[in-house]
Each structure stands twice: as structure tokens, then as C-alpha cells.
Amino acid sequence: MSLGLAQRSRALNCFIDDIYNRQKILADGIVPADIVLDSGNYKAPCAGVSPRYGAWAHICGTDLVRDQRGKFYVLEDNLRVPSGVSYMLENREITKRVLPELLENYSIQPVDDYPSRLHSTLASLSPRPLRRPCIVVLTPGIYNSAYFEHAFLAQRMGAELVEGSDLFVDADDALYMRTVDGPIRVDVVYRRIDDDFLDPEVFREDSALGVPGIMRAWKAGNVAIANAPGAGVADDKVVYAFVPDMIRYYLDEQPLLASVKTYLCMHEKDRNYVLANLDKLVVKPANESGGYGLMIGPHASKARRAEFAKLIEDNPRNYIAQPVLSLSTAPTYIDDHVEPRHLDLRPFILQGKDTWVTRAA
Amino acid sequence: MSMLSRVAERLFWMARYLERAEDTARLIHAYTHMVMDIPKGSEPGWDILVRILDAEPNFAQHYRAYNEQNVMKFLIAEPDNPGGILSAIRAARENVRTTRDVLPGEVWEHVNELYLYAQEFAEKSISRRNRYQFLETVIARCQMINGMVVSTLPRGHAYRFIKLGQLLERADMTTRVVDVGAAALLGDERLHSTVDPLIWTSLLNSLSAMGAYRREIGPQVEAGAMVDFVLRTDTLPRSVKFCLNGIRKELVPLNNNRDALALVIKARRKLSAFDPQQCSREELHLFIDRFQFILTQLYNSIDRTWFMTEERQALTTLT
């Protein structure tokens, strides 16, 4: 599993680096150019940038599920700002307290080295060869639903938790944070805000969360940003269908992990199949995350299926469909009793100078 | 290890708001105590407390009559009064919420508990019967939080900016307490002989300084000596002199401290040159007014030097 996830992360990073530079995979016709370049996740301002080690998606949160036969599949790759790792760490703390026998009777891998692994990964990206580069965690602020995690990781890494207004880019195109001792140069930004809000000079002008000029500093090679802007180009449910091809193309290896069979509505043959079998399939928009805007065919009303048929016909590029997997369950405490609940697993893959995968939950 | 300007600013305000909550509680506590000792009809009005905090315009937006019920409601439970106990505690909590990682874990927990307590009981503590317990709890919990900071927080930037906020607020509050003594009795000669000592005593009590005053000066509380005592005794932790010395001590290790240090020196000089024993009440009031202006300048200097981000500077120049 670990090897499979690392393989996938390497291929995805090759893909992103290729897309923003030579675009070999498009020229060779492995992936159709329009589905990549016309996607909202393709960020033109990132073209021509070569981050260190060819790594763009430094922190990848891949979702794994298991079907009724016990086989694992990759459900999706989250390459933008995946969250949830603090739950893994806190959950282990609670488990140790509540179910100590579990850890006594089974051999379970530790998880609490994640923050220090994350720190090493981020430090390896520093443009300046310092023993202790200045690393910051950039948060949208206290009202973000993942603020707890931002503060938690900053604290565990001994990094500064900053908001956009704490940072500025000076005339030398380097990034600084405002401190009581004056400006201090920042080497690595672990950003937890979306591309669109990152730099009002380049992306959304009305963003008050970002840092004007941070893209300039990044392109000049004066600061590393993790995940790199534009990495989301590979975080798209249409692109997902091509990941096995990428693994063969870039690494010349066979994929170690299975993907879920995916019908691309942009292809006429697939579309006809999907429209004829809406009651058996899950239909998903190509670049939403967190389960927004999807339809689970067997559970959907007739009207809802008709609505999706229209959506697909109007904008086939934006929809994919997959067979309904019967996901594995775990006993879950609900109110005052235990019930089965479906689950997916989210390992985190770190990609800097080295690759590292979380090995337990 | 340096500190983000934003974090320093929030720590400063956390300390300021906690000190404000404690000082307001002390003031109400002492004043209520005094009022009960004065025969009905000759007690000074409750409006004094609102005047001390310069909150008349805000008060007028919510209430009409300056009676005990309204003033207590306004000072204890009004969510829209930044000088009120409940809203000061809430503001302190908001500031710790985003800076908890630089503080000992218990500080956040206790500030949060104080907030939950105030939220539950502020509204129910307006009447004289419940007021004492509420005020005493607020004071005790604020002191507990201060104690944690003093006994567990490393002496770095976090400690420094907490101290600056606390001492600046305290110096400001002590001058206000002195001013109330002056203002309460201005132009009301008939009260002087009987009520005057009671007011000064209650004000000393609000600063936890009655015992020290008795030992240093004597049991008879007299206006000039009391004012001198709380303004200029450098061993008394709530005196203005003590606060200024403390502020100076925290400013010294900071970068770019010239402007702020110059203001502290100016304030100390004004304080030494002033003789409370020889001045009229009008002169005392005027002195306090001018002195508070220097404290405001000092705050502005701290804000400009260590807190203000460029955007806010740009905004200020625009307006």
C-alpha cells in the first residue's frame, strides 16, 4: 500500500511538472490537452516554474476505500490543501486512553512522527541552505473550519502560524513576516488557503486572505510554497481516470493500487452508457471536493436523476461516473449504541527531497 | 525567537482587557461598599462610575437614568460596553483564542472558564445580593491567570507584551480612580466633611492599598496624602509610578524603543513635578487629564512601533 501510494504521488508530481513545463504527455496524446488546459484547476501563471525536486504536491491526502471483496481502491487524490491529519494524531491519543488493550494486543505502527516528517519535508524545500530555515503555516484565520489543524501543526512543527496580513513581499521579491523585531525573511510557506486566494496580484483581486506578490517571490525562487500553486491541476476527477496511464508513462511501472472504473462523460460512448445507467452509478462533478454536488444513482429520486442527465448533457466535461462500491464499514458509536458506518482512509504522502507515507491511522 | 506583530498585539490586548475587567470589578466592589455606609440621600450618584470610564455617550445609547440598576447592568453585563466586565472578558478570550500556542496551556483554559462563568452569571449579578460574589470571583480568577503567567511563562516577548498591556491599563485605571475622587466632590461642598474620607477610603480599597496606606501614612485617610500615595509610591503595585517603572523595564530590551521610552520618561517627570498635597481639586483634575493624554501617546507609540502592519498604517493616513 505504502509503495503504491508513493508511486502514485511520484507520477502525479511528474505530471504536474510536465504540464507547467514541456507538456510532453499532451504532445504524446496520452492525456487529451483540452481536459487539462481548459480546466479551472490549470493555473496559467504557474507555467515555466520548476520547484525543487520537481515536487508540486508536497502533501497529498489520498482517499482509499475497500469494497465488499476486501480490495482497496484509490477513490481520489487531494492535492490542493488536504486536511485531516490532526484528527489522525488526536485520535491516536484518545485511542490510547480509551482502548489501551488494543495497542497492547496488536502491533500497531506509531503515527506521531508526522509533524517532524512534515517539518523535514518542508525544510528540504528551502531556497536558502540554512540549518533552520524559517517555515510558516499560512491560515485563512480562526473562522476556517480547519483552523484547529493549522494551529496544531504549526505548534507541533515549531513553525509560526501566520495570516496573510503578517506577510509581505519587499522590493527584492523575497517574502517577509512582520515581527516585533522588524521584518524576518520567510523560506517556506505551508499554505492552507486555496490558490484563488493566495495572491490578489495574480488570482482573485478581492482576496484579503492572501499576500500580494507572493507569486512573484515564488517564481523568483525566493520562497517555497507547499503545496505549490497550480498543483490542483492533477486533482480533478477526469484527470484521475488517467493516473494509471501516467504511472506507466513517467515511471515505466505498473500501477500497484487499483483505481475505481471511471466513465468520462466527455466521451460519447461513456456518456451514452452513463445516461442509460444513471440508476446504477455515482455521478460526480469533476473538480469539487468533499462530496459536493454528487448524485448516488440507486438512492436518487427520478427527478434528481433527470436533473443530472441534463447537467451531463449541458456540460459533459464537468462530469464523471463510477460504479457504486459497497464500502467497508466500521463499528461507530452513535448516540448510545454502536452502528456500522462506511469509511474511507486518508493516508498522507509527503513529497520533498524524499517520499514518505503515513503508515497507520 | 522573535514574535509576529499580530501575536504581540493580541497578547497586549488580552492583558489589557483582563486588567480592565479586574479593575472595573474592583471599582464597583469598593464603590458599592462605600455607598452602603452613607445615609440615604447624601450618597454621591452612580453616574460617577460611568464618568470614570468615560462611557457617558455609550451609556446614553442604552439607558436614560443613572440609577444603580442601570449603571450596574451597564458596567457588569452590557455586551456592547467595551469597558464592561462581561465584554472585556469576552475580548480577552478572543485574543487568547488565537495566541494560545505561545502561552502555557492552562492560561487559555482559565480565560475560557472565566468567560463561561461571566457569561452565565453577569446578568444575574446586578442586584446587591449577588454582586459581591460575582465581583470577587472575577477578581480572584483574573489574579489566578496573572499568577500563572508570572509563574510559568518564559520571560520573552510574550511576557513582555502581556506586561505592557497590563501595566498601561492599570496606570490608566489608577489615574481614573484618583480622578473620581476629585470629580465626585467637585462643587459639592456640603459633602466634604462626612463623605470625603469614605470616598477616599473606598478608592484605596479598590486598589487593595488601604492596608499599605495605614502602615505607611496612618489610619486617617486624607485626600492629598491618598492621591500622593497611589500616584507616586514606587513600591505599591497599583500606583502609577510603579506601573511606569514596570513599563520602562519591559521596553528596554525591545528594538526601536526610543520613542516609547522618551514618553515614559516624560510621564515620570510630570509625575515627580506634580504635588498633590498642594493642589486644588480643579488642578488635580487638570493634571489627570493631561497625564492620561501622555498614556494615550505611549499606547500609540507602542502600537506604531511594534503592532501596526503596513495596511493599517495606509488606512490611517487615508482617514
Side-chain angles (χ1 to χ4, degrees), chain A residues 142-143 147 151 155 158 160-163 165-166 168 177-181 184, chain B residues 1-6 8 10 94 97-98 101 157 161 255 306 309-311:
Chain A
I142 187 109
Y143 299 106
Y147 179 80
Q155 198 191 8
E160 205 68 65
L161 180 66
V162 303
E163 296 173 17
S165 61
D166 294 323
F168 69 97
M177 61 179 178
R178 304 171 211 276
T179 78
V180 295
D181 296 314
I184 290 183
Chain B
M1 187 70 183
S2 189
M3 168 168 279
L4 288 175
S5 298
R6 178 176 50 81
R10 287 181 186 169
E94 281 308 298
R97 210 147 78 97
T98 44
D101 50 322
H157 283 317
F161 284 100
N255 286 342
W306 293 291
T309 63
E310 271 167 30
E311 291 96 275

mmCIF file of all heavy atoms in Angstrom, chain A residues 142-143 147 151 155 158 160-163 165-166 168 177-181 184, chain B residues 1-6 8 10 94 97-98 101 157 161 255 306 309-311:
data_model
loop_
_atom_site.group_PDB
_atom_site.id
_atom_site.type_symbol
_atom_site.label_atom_id
_atom_site.label_comp_id
_atom_site.label_asym_id
_atom_site.label_seq_id
_atom_site.Cartn_x
_atom_site.Cartn_y
_atom_site.Cartn_z
ATOM 1 N N ILE A 142 -9.097 32.184 12.103
ATOM 2 C CA ILE A 142 -9.813 31.419 13.123
ATOM 3 C C ILE A 142 -11.167 30.900 12.651
ATOM 4 O O ILE A 142 -11.676 29.916 13.153
ATOM 5 C CB ILE A 142 -9.971 32.292 14.386
ATOM 6 C CG1 ILE A 142 -10.563 31.517 15.567
ATOM 7 C CG2 ILE A 142 -10.846 33.503 14.124
ATOM 8 C CD1 ILE A 142 -9.595 31.244 16.636
ATOM 9 N N TYR A 143 -11.776 31.554 11.642
ATOM 10 C CA TYR A 143 -13.117 31.137 11.225
ATOM 11 C C TYR A 143 -13.098 30.017 10.196
ATOM 12 O O TYR A 143 -14.129 29.514 9.797
ATOM 13 C CB TYR A 143 -13.917 32.344 10.733
ATOM 14 C CG TYR A 143 -14.066 33.354 11.842
ATOM 15 C CD1 TYR A 143 -13.350 34.537 11.850
ATOM 16 C CD2 TYR A 143 -14.873 33.063 12.941
ATOM 17 C CE1 TYR A 143 -13.450 35.425 12.912
ATOM 18 C CE2 TYR A 143 -14.975 33.937 14.002
ATOM 19 C CZ TYR A 143 -14.265 35.128 13.985
ATOM 20 O OH TYR A 143 -14.370 35.981 15.047
ATOM 21 N N TYR A 147 -9.028 25.494 11.136
ATOM 22 C CA TYR A 147 -8.077 26.339 11.887
ATOM 23 C C TYR A 147 -7.381 25.557 12.993
ATOM 24 O O TYR A 147 -6.186 25.713 13.221
ATOM 25 C CB TYR A 147 -8.798 27.554 12.483
ATOM 26 C CG TYR A 147 -7.874 28.439 13.288
ATOM 27 C CD1 TYR A 147 -7.039 29.346 12.665
ATOM 28 C CD2 TYR A 147 -7.810 28.339 14.680
ATOM 29 C CE1 TYR A 147 -6.175 30.147 13.385
ATOM 30 C CE2 TYR A 147 -6.938 29.129 15.419
ATOM 31 C CZ TYR A 147 -6.129 30.035 14.763
ATOM 32 O OH TYR A 147 -5.262 30.822 15.482
ATOM 33 N N ALA A 151 -3.283 25.476 13.529
ATOM 34 C CA ALA A 151 -2.594 25.850 14.774
ATOM 35 C C ALA A 151 -1.838 24.647 15.350
ATOM 36 O O ALA A 151 -0.699 24.766 15.805
ATOM 37 C CB ALA A 151 -3.618 26.373 15.787
ATOM 38 N N GLN A 155 2.209 24.435 15.792
ATOM 39 C CA GLN A 155 2.781 24.254 17.122
ATOM 40 C C GLN A 155 3.681 23.026 17.176
ATOM 41 O O GLN A 155 4.780 23.074 17.710
ATOM 42 C CB GLN A 155 1.655 24.164 18.138
ATOM 43 C CG GLN A 155 2.132 24.403 19.539
ATOM 44 C CD GLN A 155 1.080 24.051 20.552
ATOM 45 O OE1 GLN A 155 0.030 23.495 20.218
ATOM 46 N NE2 GLN A 155 1.363 24.365 21.804
ATOM 47 N N GLY A 158 6.860 23.643 15.509
ATOM 48 C CA GLY A 158 7.613 24.810 15.972
ATOM 49 C C GLY A 158 7.703 25.868 14.893
ATOM 50 O O GLY A 158 8.672 26.597 14.804
ATOM 51 N N GLU A 160 5.818 29.180 12.704
ATOM 52 C CA GLU A 160 4.973 30.320 13.027
ATOM 53 C C GLU A 160 3.636 30.158 12.293
ATOM 54 O O GLU A 160 3.605 29.837 11.112
ATOM 55 C CB GLU A 160 5.695 31.585 12.557
ATOM 56 C CG GLU A 160 5.325 32.840 13.285
ATOM 57 C CD GLU A 160 5.789 32.873 14.738
ATOM 58 O OE1 GLU A 160 7.001 32.892 15.004
ATOM 59 O OE2 GLU A 160 4.906 32.891 15.606
ATOM 60 N N LEU A 161 2.525 30.355 13.007
ATOM 61 C CA LEU A 161 1.202 30.341 12.374
ATOM 62 C C LEU A 161 0.892 31.762 11.928
ATOM 63 O O LEU A 161 0.779 32.657 12.760
ATOM 64 C CB LEU A 161 0.159 29.861 13.373
ATOM 65 C CG LEU A 161 -1.281 29.791 12.857
ATOM 66 C CD1 LEU A 161 -1.421 28.728 11.780
ATOM 67 C CD2 LEU A 161 -2.246 29.513 13.995
ATOM 68 N N VAL A 162 0.786 31.981 10.623
ATOM 69 C CA VAL A 162 0.608 33.354 10.139
ATOM 70 C C VAL A 162 -0.682 33.511 9.347
ATOM 71 O O VAL A 162 -1.213 32.555 8.801
ATOM 72 C CB VAL A 162 1.790 33.805 9.251
ATOM 73 C CG1 VAL A 162 3.105 33.698 9.985
ATOM 74 C CG2 VAL A 162 1.840 33.001 7.961
ATOM 75 N N GLU A 163 -1.171 34.733 9.305
ATOM 76 C CA GLU A 163 -2.260 35.103 8.415
ATOM 77 C C GLU A 163 -1.662 35.976 7.313
ATOM 78 O O GLU A 163 -0.550 36.491 7.459
ATOM 79 C CB GLU A 163 -3.338 35.859 9.199
ATOM 80 C CG GLU A 163 -3.983 34.974 10.261
ATOM 81 C CD GLU A 163 -4.950 35.709 11.181
ATOM 82 O OE1 GLU A 163 -5.375 36.823 10.831
ATOM 83 O OE2 GLU A 163 -5.263 35.161 12.245
ATOM 84 N N SER A 165 -1.991 38.946 6.397
ATOM 85 C CA SER A 165 -1.552 40.300 6.733
ATOM 86 C C SER A 165 -0.236 40.313 7.519
ATOM 87 O O SER A 165 0.360 41.371 7.712
ATOM 88 C CB SER A 165 -2.641 41.025 7.524
ATOM 89 O OG SER A 165 -2.899 40.333 8.718
ATOM 90 N N ASP A 166 0.209 39.148 7.975
ATOM 91 C CA ASP A 166 1.501 39.082 8.676
ATOM 92 C C ASP A 166 2.669 39.068 7.701
ATOM 93 O O ASP A 166 3.815 39.208 8.110
ATOM 94 C CB ASP A 166 1.592 37.803 9.522
ATOM 95 C CG ASP A 166 0.592 37.802 10.660
ATOM 96 O OD1 ASP A 166 0.354 38.874 11.232
ATOM 97 O OD2 ASP A 166 0.043 36.731 10.959
ATOM 98 N N PHE A 168 4.584 40.054 3.851
ATOM 99 C CA PHE A 168 4.629 40.988 2.727
ATOM 100 C C PHE A 168 5.843 40.668 1.863
ATOM 101 O O PHE A 168 6.799 40.049 2.318
ATOM 102 C CB PHE A 168 4.663 42.442 3.209
ATOM 103 C CG PHE A 168 5.940 42.837 3.896
ATOM 104 C CD1 PHE A 168 6.953 43.492 3.196
ATOM 105 C CD2 PHE A 168 6.152 42.546 5.233
ATOM 106 C CE1 PHE A 168 8.129 43.853 3.829
ATOM 107 C CE2 PHE A 168 7.321 42.910 5.866
ATOM 108 C CZ PHE A 168 8.321 43.564 5.170
ATOM 109 N N MET A 177 7.992 38.225 7.145
ATOM 110 C CA MET A 177 6.891 38.349 8.101
ATOM 111 C C MET A 177 7.175 39.521 9.038
ATOM 112 O O MET A 177 8.328 39.835 9.336
ATOM 113 C CB MET A 177 6.666 37.050 8.877
ATOM 114 C CG MET A 177 7.801 36.553 9.710
ATOM 115 S SD MET A 177 7.283 35.020 10.537
ATOM 116 C CE MET A 177 8.802 34.588 11.404
ATOM 117 N N ARG A 178 6.094 40.174 9.468
ATOM 118 C CA ARG A 178 6.235 41.344 10.333
ATOM 119 C C ARG A 178 6.343 40.875 11.772
ATOM 120 O O ARG A 178 5.419 40.245 12.294
ATOM 121 C CB ARG A 178 4.999 42.237 10.235
ATOM 122 C CG ARG A 178 4.666 42.678 8.844
ATOM 123 C CD ARG A 178 3.313 43.375 8.849
ATOM 124 N NE ARG A 178 2.620 43.181 7.591
ATOM 125 C CZ ARG A 178 2.827 43.937 6.513
ATOM 126 N NH1 ARG A 178 3.669 44.953 6.572
ATOM 127 N NH2 ARG A 178 2.174 43.702 5.397
ATOM 128 N N THR A 179 7.444 41.187 12.412
ATOM 129 C CA THR A 179 7.596 40.789 13.810
ATOM 130 C C THR A 179 7.940 42.020 14.632
ATOM 131 O O THR A 179 8.215 43.080 14.094
ATOM 132 C CB THR A 179 8.718 39.756 14.010
ATOM 133 O OG1 THR A 179 9.984 40.442 13.977
ATOM 134 C CG2 THR A 179 8.710 38.679 12.925
ATOM 135 N N VAL A 180 7.944 41.829 15.942
ATOM 136 C CA VAL A 180 8.270 42.945 16.829
ATOM 137 C C VAL A 180 9.736 43.334 16.708
ATOM 138 O O VAL A 180 10.121 44.411 17.157
ATOM 139 C CB VAL A 180 7.922 42.617 18.298
ATOM 140 C CG1 VAL A 180 6.418 42.446 18.451
ATOM 141 C CG2 VAL A 180 8.647 41.383 18.787
ATOM 142 N N ASP A 181 10.551 42.478 16.105
ATOM 143 C CA ASP A 181 11.950 42.841 15.870
ATOM 144 C C ASP A 181 12.173 43.328 14.448
ATOM 145 O O ASP A 181 13.302 43.412 13.994
ATOM 146 C CB ASP A 181 12.863 41.636 16.133
ATOM 147 C CG ASP A 181 12.803 41.213 17.587
ATOM 148 O OD1 ASP A 181 12.871 42.110 18.455
ATOM 149 O OD2 ASP A 181 12.653 40.016 17.863
ATOM 150 N N ILE A 184 11.282 39.602 9.094
ATOM 151 C CA ILE A 184 12.122 38.407 9.087
ATOM 152 C C ILE A 184 11.815 37.629 7.808
ATOM 153 O O ILE A 184 10.653 37.421 7.461
ATOM 154 C CB ILE A 184 11.865 37.538 10.339
ATOM 155 C CG1 ILE A 184 12.406 38.257 11.573
ATOM 156 C CG2 ILE A 184 12.489 36.147 10.190
ATOM 157 C CD1 ILE A 184 12.285 37.468 12.855
ATOM 158 N N MET B 1 14.206 33.903 19.320
ATOM 159 C CA MET B 1 12.905 33.691 18.676
ATOM 160 C C MET B 1 12.106 34.984 18.716
ATOM 161 O O MET B 1 11.829 35.527 19.771
ATOM 162 C CB MET B 1 12.157 32.569 19.422
ATOM 163 C CG MET B 1 10.858 32.129 18.762
ATOM 164 S SD MET B 1 11.126 31.230 17.226
ATOM 165 C CE MET B 1 9.436 30.966 16.699
ATOM 166 N N SER B 2 11.781 35.474 17.556
ATOM 167 C CA SER B 2 11.014 36.717 17.525
ATOM 168 C C SER B 2 9.523 36.423 17.667
ATOM 169 O O SER B 2 9.126 35.290 17.931
ATOM 170 C CB SER B 2 11.279 37.461 16.225
ATOM 171 O OG SER B 2 10.700 38.748 16.309
ATOM 172 N N MET B 3 8.693 37.421 17.477
ATOM 173 C CA MET B 3 7.256 37.214 17.610
ATOM 174 C C MET B 3 6.536 38.048 16.573
ATOM 175 O O MET B 3 6.907 39.191 16.324
ATOM 176 C CB MET B 3 6.835 37.631 19.010
ATOM 177 C CG MET B 3 5.337 37.726 19.181
ATOM 178 S SD MET B 3 4.858 37.866 20.902
ATOM 179 C CE MET B 3 4.942 36.163 21.410
ATOM 180 N N LEU B 4 5.498 37.444 15.963
ATOM 181 C CA LEU B 4 4.704 38.188 14.992
ATOM 182 C C LEU B 4 4.092 39.412 15.653
ATOM 183 O O LEU B 4 3.611 39.331 16.780
ATOM 184 C CB LEU B 4 3.571 37.314 14.460
ATOM 185 C CG LEU B 4 3.941 36.191 13.506
ATOM 186 C CD1 LEU B 4 2.700 35.378 13.189
ATOM 187 C CD2 LEU B 4 4.547 36.754 12.233
ATOM 188 N N SER B 5 4.084 40.515 14.919
ATOM 189 C CA SER B 5 3.482 41.732 15.453
ATOM 190 C C SER B 5 2.023 41.509 15.853
ATOM 191 O O SER B 5 1.556 42.000 16.873
ATOM 192 C CB SER B 5 3.547 42.839 14.408
ATOM 193 O OG SER B 5 4.886 43.124 14.111
ATOM 194 N N ARG B 6 1.318 40.735 15.016
ATOM 195 C CA ARG B 6 -0.092 40.480 15.304
ATOM 196 C C ARG B 6 -0.266 39.720 16.619
ATOM 197 O O ARG B 6 -1.159 40.020 17.410
ATOM 198 C CB ARG B 6 -0.697 39.675 14.150
ATOM 199 C CG ARG B 6 -2.145 39.306 14.343
ATOM 200 C CD ARG B 6 -2.688 38.588 13.112
ATOM 201 N NE ARG B 6 -1.814 37.499 12.687
ATOM 202 C CZ ARG B 6 -1.807 36.293 13.254
ATOM 203 N NH1 ARG B 6 -2.611 36.031 14.241
ATOM 204 N NH2 ARG B 6 -0.979 35.373 12.831
ATOM 205 N N ALA B 8 1.878 39.703 19.136
ATOM 206 C CA ALA B 8 2.235 40.620 20.225
ATOM 207 C C ALA B 8 1.055 41.535 20.543
ATOM 208 O O ALA B 8 0.724 41.770 21.710
ATOM 209 C CB ALA B 8 3.460 41.442 19.830
ATOM 210 N N ARG B 10 -2.128 40.985 20.036
ATOM 211 C CA ARG B 10 -3.239 40.283 20.682
ATOM 212 C C ARG B 10 -2.926 39.966 22.145
ATOM 213 O O ARG B 10 -3.803 40.034 23.002
ATOM 214 C CB ARG B 10 -3.579 39.009 19.903
ATOM 215 C CG ARG B 10 -4.282 39.364 18.597
ATOM 216 C CD ARG B 10 -4.666 38.160 17.787
ATOM 217 N NE ARG B 10 -5.200 38.589 16.493
ATOM 218 C CZ ARG B 10 -5.443 37.785 15.477
ATOM 219 N NH1 ARG B 10 -5.214 36.495 15.597
ATOM 220 N NH2 ARG B 10 -5.915 38.252 14.352
ATOM 221 N N GLU B 94 -11.171 36.309 23.166
ATOM 222 C CA GLU B 94 -10.972 36.297 21.718
ATOM 223 C C GLU B 94 -9.492 36.464 21.381
ATOM 224 O O GLU B 94 -8.982 35.878 20.433
ATOM 225 C CB GLU B 94 -11.774 37.423 21.056
ATOM 226 C CG GLU B 94 -13.242 37.110 20.896
ATOM 227 C CD GLU B 94 -13.485 35.779 20.208
ATOM 228 O OE1 GLU B 94 -13.079 35.635 19.049
ATOM 229 O OE2 GLU B 94 -14.069 34.872 20.843
ATOM 230 N N ARG B 97 -7.628 33.178 22.193
ATOM 231 C CA ARG B 97 -8.030 32.081 21.322
ATOM 232 C C ARG B 97 -7.043 31.909 20.169
ATOM 233 O O ARG B 97 -6.782 30.806 19.725
ATOM 234 C CB ARG B 97 -9.422 32.391 20.758
ATOM 235 C CG ARG B 97 -10.262 31.191 20.469
ATOM 236 C CD ARG B 97 -11.707 31.514 20.710
ATOM 237 N NE ARG B 97 -12.267 32.276 19.596
ATOM 238 C CZ ARG B 97 -12.969 31.727 18.606
ATOM 239 N NH1 ARG B 97 -13.146 30.436 18.579
ATOM 240 N NH2 ARG B 97 -13.468 32.463 17.662
ATOM 241 N N THR B 98 -6.518 33.033 19.662
ATOM 242 C CA THR B 98 -5.633 32.964 18.501
ATOM 243 C C THR B 98 -4.164 33.044 18.881
ATOM 244 O O THR B 98 -3.303 33.112 18.014
ATOM 245 C CB THR B 98 -5.963 34.101 17.529
ATOM 246 O OG1 THR B 98 -6.142 35.290 18.283
ATOM 247 C CG2 THR B 98 -7.232 33.787 16.775
ATOM 248 N N ASP B 101 -1.028 29.219 21.412
ATOM 249 C CA ASP B 101 0.182 28.419 21.243
ATOM 250 C C ASP B 101 1.421 29.067 21.853
ATOM 251 O O ASP B 101 2.409 28.381 22.076
ATOM 252 C CB ASP B 101 0.418 28.056 19.767
ATOM 253 C CG ASP B 101 0.330 29.260 18.862
ATOM 254 O OD1 ASP B 101 -0.524 30.126 19.118
ATOM 255 O OD2 ASP B 101 1.121 29.355 17.916
ATOM 256 N N HIS B 157 9.236 37.691 24.568
ATOM 257 C CA HIS B 157 8.334 38.695 24.016
ATOM 258 C C HIS B 157 6.905 38.537 24.532
ATOM 259 O O HIS B 157 6.229 39.521 24.796
ATOM 260 C CB HIS B 157 8.322 38.620 22.495
ATOM 261 C CG HIS B 157 9.536 39.240 21.863
ATOM 262 N ND1 HIS B 157 10.052 40.441 22.300
ATOM 263 C CD2 HIS B 157 10.322 38.851 20.836
ATOM 264 C CE1 HIS B 157 11.102 40.755 21.562
ATOM 265 N NE2 HIS B 157 11.301 39.797 20.670
ATOM 266 N N PHE B 161 4.966 41.712 26.263
ATOM 267 C CA PHE B 161 3.803 42.444 25.744
ATOM 268 C C PHE B 161 2.575 42.271 26.640
ATOM 269 O O PHE B 161 1.735 43.161 26.733
ATOM 270 C CB PHE B 161 3.527 42.058 24.291
ATOM 271 C CG PHE B 161 4.518 42.704 23.360
ATOM 272 C CD1 PHE B 161 5.603 42.000 22.870
ATOM 273 C CD2 PHE B 161 4.394 44.046 23.038
ATOM 274 C CE1 PHE B 161 6.534 42.611 22.056
ATOM 275 C CE2 PHE B 161 5.326 44.672 22.219
ATOM 276 C CZ PHE B 161 6.402 43.952 21.719
ATOM 277 N N ASN B 255 13.596 46.242 20.486
ATOM 278 C CA ASN B 255 14.189 47.060 19.419
ATOM 279 C C ASN B 255 13.325 48.295 19.158
ATOM 280 O O ASN B 255 12.127 48.257 19.390
ATOM 281 C CB ASN B 255 14.244 46.266 18.111
ATOM 282 C CG ASN B 255 15.330 45.212 18.152
ATOM 283 O OD1 ASN B 255 16.235 45.289 18.983
ATOM 284 N ND2 ASN B 255 15.219 44.218 17.279
ATOM 285 N N TRP B 306 5.447 48.475 17.242
ATOM 286 C CA TRP B 306 5.536 47.010 17.279
ATOM 287 C C TRP B 306 4.327 46.279 16.708
ATOM 288 O O TRP B 306 4.393 45.111 16.405
ATOM 289 C CB TRP B 306 5.814 46.541 18.706
ATOM 290 C CG TRP B 306 7.170 46.959 19.163
ATOM 291 C CD1 TRP B 306 8.370 46.478 18.697
ATOM 292 C CD2 TRP B 306 7.476 47.958 20.138
ATOM 293 N NE1 TRP B 306 9.397 47.124 19.331
ATOM 294 C CE2 TRP B 306 8.893 48.030 20.226
ATOM 295 C CE3 TRP B 306 6.708 48.792 20.949
ATOM 296 C CZ2 TRP B 306 9.548 48.904 21.087
ATOM 297 C CZ3 TRP B 306 7.348 49.653 21.801
ATOM 298 C CH2 TRP B 306 8.757 49.714 21.865
ATOM 299 N N THR B 309 0.596 47.029 11.168
ATOM 300 C CA THR B 309 1.010 46.492 9.884
ATOM 301 C C THR B 309 0.909 47.615 8.856
ATOM 302 O O THR B 309 0.263 48.621 9.099
ATOM 303 C CB THR B 309 0.093 45.340 9.470
ATOM 304 O OG1 THR B 309 -1.206 45.870 9.302
ATOM 305 C CG2 THR B 309 0.075 44.262 10.512
ATOM 306 N N GLU B 310 1.539 47.405 7.715
ATOM 307 C CA GLU B 310 1.552 48.464 6.709
ATOM 308 C C GLU B 310 0.154 48.829 6.226
ATOM 309 O O GLU B 310 -0.143 49.989 5.991
ATOM 310 C CB GLU B 310 2.410 48.040 5.517
ATOM 311 C CG GLU B 310 3.856 48.437 5.703
ATOM 312 C CD GLU B 310 4.760 47.754 4.703
ATOM 313 O OE1 GLU B 310 4.293 47.476 3.593
ATOM 314 O OE2 GLU B 310 5.926 47.513 5.044
ATOM 315 N N GLU B 311 -0.710 47.807 6.081
ATOM 316 C CA GLU B 311 -2.062 48.117 5.607
ATOM 317 C C GLU B 311 -2.759 49.079 6.553
ATOM 318 O O GLU B 311 -3.390 50.028 6.146
ATOM 319 C CB GLU B 311 -2.937 46.857 5.509
ATOM 320 C CG GLU B 311 -2.524 45.908 4.425
ATOM 321 C CD GLU B 311 -1.644 44.824 4.977
ATOM 322 O OE1 GLU B 311 -0.424 45.028 5.092
ATOM 323 O OE2 GLU B 311 -2.183 43.775 5.316
#
